[in-house]
């Protein structure tokens, strides 16, 4: 029982490191966009919108793609089946994982997809 407790504790401690990496990556992306572009991007650049100022355009784009193109992403406006059909016409498969909740690994996993 002690070994199981140690394994679970080690797992969560390892996740803290990954959560910290995601947090710092997001801060870096936000700063890079501010310096390189010197303007708001994406939804933040549209009139009458109020997206989070703490979320980079990069992360917002990844999150939006996940919602639109994955199953359970957005049942009202998502198009996961159309995405799968398109990918099959170009002999590809989707590498996107579902964006459910605030999962810290989405930036890395779906950013690479």
């Amino acid at each position: 029982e002690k070994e199981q407790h140690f394994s679970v504790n080690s797992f969560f401690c390892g996740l803290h490191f990954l959560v910290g990496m995601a947090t710092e990556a997001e801060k870096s992306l936000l700063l890079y966009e501010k310096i390189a572009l010197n303007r708001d991007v994406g939804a933040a650049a549209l009139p009458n919108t109020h997206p989070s100022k703490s979320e980079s355009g990069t992360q917002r784009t990844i999150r939006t793609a996940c919602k639109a193109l994955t199953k359970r992403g957005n049942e009202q406006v998502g198009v996961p089946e159309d995405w799968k059909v398109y990918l099959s016409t170009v002999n590809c498969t989707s590498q996107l994982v579902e964006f459910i909740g605030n999962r810290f690994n989405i930036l890395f996993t779906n950013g690479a997809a």
Side-chain angles (χ1 to χ4, degrees), residues 25-106:
E26 174 59 10
K27 287 179 188 176
S28 298
L29 286 168
L30 197 58
L31 182 60
Y32 174 78
E33 289 173 2
K34 188 175 187 174
I35 293 170
L37 301 173
N38 199 25
R39 62 180 171 83
D40 288 333
V41 295
L46 297 174
N48 302 319
T49 60
H50 307 287
S52 170
K53 294 291 184 186
S54 63
E55 182 180 49
S56 68
T58 303
Q59 177 140 317
R60 198 168 36 253
T61 300
I62 293 168
R63 183 173 43 82
T64 301
C66 294
K67 285 184 173 184
L69 304 175
T70 62
K71 186 178 178 183
R72 295 174 44 199
N74 187 323
E75 294 178 8
Q76 294 175 341
V77 296
V79 290
E81 296 306 316
D82 294 337
W83 176 240
K84 286 182 186 176
V85 169
Y86 166 74
L87 290 176
S88 70
T89 66
V90 293
N91 297 320
C92 290
T93 57
S94 181
Q95 302 301 311
L96 294 172
V97 296
E98 296 175 359
F99 184 88
I100 302 295
N102 187 15
R103 291 176 40 193
F104 64 88
N105 64 330
I106 293 300

